[in-house]
Amino acid sequence: MALVWENSSSSANRNQIAKVVFQKNNMDVEELKGRAHKKLLKDFQSQKDWLRGADVDKLSEEEAEIVADRLVSRINARTPLIKEKSKTLEREFTGVLKKCLTQNYSSSEINNNEAKMMEGREEKIKNELVEIGEKYLNETEMNALKEAIALGRRPTEDESKNSRMPLRRRIT
């Protein structure tokens, strides 16, 4: 993973932000220095085998579709929905998730309080999903939606084991 920073951010600030992001996402990382750093930097600048912003957005859009499908599947597991309702929810959930997952934040927003910003994004997603549910779901179905949301966006252990999706589609 390479991080590209604005020139105005200080080295200490960069390290602090990276540390918080990596810890929050349970990522075990090691900063490269010396020859290894120079080699990787040269490779990164060649743009070969590295994802750029638009590529990351495409992956986020794919993730949005997978998460929307997962949420609807969780609802259907609790209380079966008619096919049209499932399709409508999946389409609208995907729209909300795509918008939120591809939203760009300025470095000043991240620098001010990255944890608060991420928490706000998650709360916004949850509220918008519930808002959509309120348009289409009865009380029992809404309870199933709230339970589905509470499980999070990532697959549960059982969902991972029982998934028929190819591995690349299950990684979120």
Side-chain angles (χ1 to χ4, degrees):
M1 176 184 299
L3 300 175
V4 179
W5 300 94
E6 290 182 5
N7 290 334
S8 61
S9 64
S10 71
S11 178
N13 200 18
R14 293 174 188 178
N15 287 335
Q16 180 184 5
I17 291 168
K19 185 176 181 180
V20 169
V21 171
F22 295 143
Q23 284 176 344
K24 183 165 181 126
N25 291 285
N26 298 318
M27 298 172 72
D28 187 24
V29 297
E30 180 180 331
E31 183 179 2
L32 296 177
K33 297 183 187 237
R35 193 176 295 164
H37 177 265
K38 287 179 185 175
K39 182 182 182 304
L40 202 57
L41 183 59
K42 184 177 178 182
D43 180 54
F44 177 72
Q45 289 170 336
S46 76
Q47 298 187 10
K48 185 177 184 250
D49 298 327
W50 288 88
L51 297 176
R52 299 296 189 232
D55 299 317
V56 173
D57 283 350
K58 284 174 117 174
L59 289 174
S60 293
E61 289 173 2
E62 184 176 330
E63 178 184 4
E65 292 170 6
I66 292 167
V67 172
D69 176 65
R70 183 176 299 127
L71 288 171
V72 173
S73 294
R74 287 173 179 170
I75 296 167
N76 274 305
R78 293 267 187 224
T79 177
L81 302 173
I82 61 171
K83 190 174 186 176
E84 293 78 22
K85 192 182 282 192
S86 289
K87 285 183 178 185
T88 299
L89 289 173
E90 191 168 337
R91 185 184 66 251
E92 291 200 27
F93 288 170
T94 297
V96 164
L97 291 161
K98 279 183 179 181
K99 183 179 70 177
C100 290
L101 294 176
T102 59
Q103 179 180 357
N104 291 319
Y105 294 96
S106 71
S107 60
S108 62
E109 287 176 290
I110 296 169
N111 293 347
N112 285 338
N113 191 337
E114 189 267 344
K116 185 176 179 182
M117 182 201 71
M118 295 299 285
E119 187 178 302
R121 181 179 83 165
E122 291 302 317
E123 190 64 25
K124 180 180 178 185
I125 290 171
K126 178 184 172 186
N127 290 340
E128 289 191 34
L129 294 174
V130 167
E131 213 173 278
I132 290 166
E134 288 172 341
K135 291 192 300 189
Y136 302 104
L137 303 175
N138 63 36
E139 185 179 348
T140 302
E141 295 164 341
M142 275 302 296
N143 289 334
L145 170 61
K146 289 174 182 176
E147 289 174 17
I149 292 169
L151 289 172
R153 288 185 293 170
R154 295 185 183 273
T156 63
E157 190 174 320
D158 286 341
E159 289 169 334
S160 293
K161 286 181 197 173
N162 297 325
S163 178
R164 286 183 241 145
M165 286 185 182
L167 181 59
R168 74 168 197 79
R169 298 270 309 168
R170 284 191 285 147
I171 297 173
T172 59

